[in-house]
Amino acid sequence: LEQVNGAKRFNGLEDPLEEEKYILYDQVKNITGVDINDLKLDKNGEIIGGNETFQKLINGSAYIGLQSTKSFVSDLKKLLTYGTYKVNDMNRTIDFQNNELIDRDVQYGFGKKQLQPWFDSFMKGKSTIDTFF
């Protein structure tokens, strides 16, 4: 996941909401079997939908992982308020070419022939990407 985000960051294509949606979708689906696209907020801003296991999760009586229930619910509400349909699904664009893995559709990726030009320009102080370090 971090390599996908790194390649997107290098190429100016990073959308932080894609990662947030991916993580929340994965957590909710794996723990409860609920699809976050089926969840809604009521007029009071409370999450509705899901099943009994999902309700236990947002009420704090089921295990989420290292993230706190309050943080999890807050992140989920922000995403639902914004609209899950407005956020692209995270796509992995990795391919095998010339006997190596490359990131498709980007100039700078993590394949040897993609990373070397970026690294050379960075070492010369001419890199257009300065958010990595």
Side-chain angles (χ1 to χ4, degrees):
L1 181 62
E2 189 55 39
Q3 287 181 345
V4 171
N5 292 334
K8 287 183 174 185
R9 189 169 34 249
F10 284 161
N11 291 278
L13 303 172
E14 182 182 38
D15 179 359
L17 288 176
E18 284 182 13
E19 181 179 359
E20 190 72 25
K21 180 180 176 181
Y22 174 83
I23 291 168
L24 288 169
Y25 180 89
D26 191 52
Q27 286 177 314
V28 172
K29 189 71 169 177
N30 288 337
I31 296 171
T32 69
V34 172
D35 186 318
I36 63 170
N37 295 304
D38 296 334
L39 303 173
K40 306 281 185 260
L41 294 176
D42 67 13
K43 64 181 179 181
N44 298 321
E46 298 303 317
I47 302 170
I48 56 173
N51 54 24
E52 186 178 333
T53 306
F54 176 77
Q55 291 303 319
K56 288 180 182 178
L57 187 68
I58 64 173
N59 292 333
S61 57
Y63 182 70
I64 294 174
L66 298 177
Q67 186 178 22
S68 72
T69 300
K70 184 177 179 179
S71 173
F72 168 77
V73 171
S74 173
D75 290 347
L76 187 54
K77 283 183 178 182
K78 286 178 192 172
L79 184 62
L80 293 174
T81 299
Y82 183 77
T84 57
Y85 62 92
K86 293 180 184 177
V87 180
N88 292 328
D89 291 334
M90 185 176 283
N91 293 316
R92 298 170 193 250
T93 56
I94 296 184
D95 203 354
F96 189 75
Q97 194 174 79
N98 299 325
N99 295 321
E100 66 180 53
L101 290 174
I102 63 158
D103 297 293
R104 294 182 312 180
D105 305 323
V106 293
Q107 179 180 357
Y108 300 115
F110 287 90
K112 284 188 287 189
K113 292 180 183 176
Q114 292 175 312
L115 189 55
Q116 194 61 49
W118 176 85
F119 186 73
D120 291 343
S121 66
F122 174 76
M123 293 306 290
K124 292 176 185 174
K126 297 179 181 178
S127 176
T128 57
I129 307 299
D130 61 0
T131 58
F132 186 68
F133 296 101

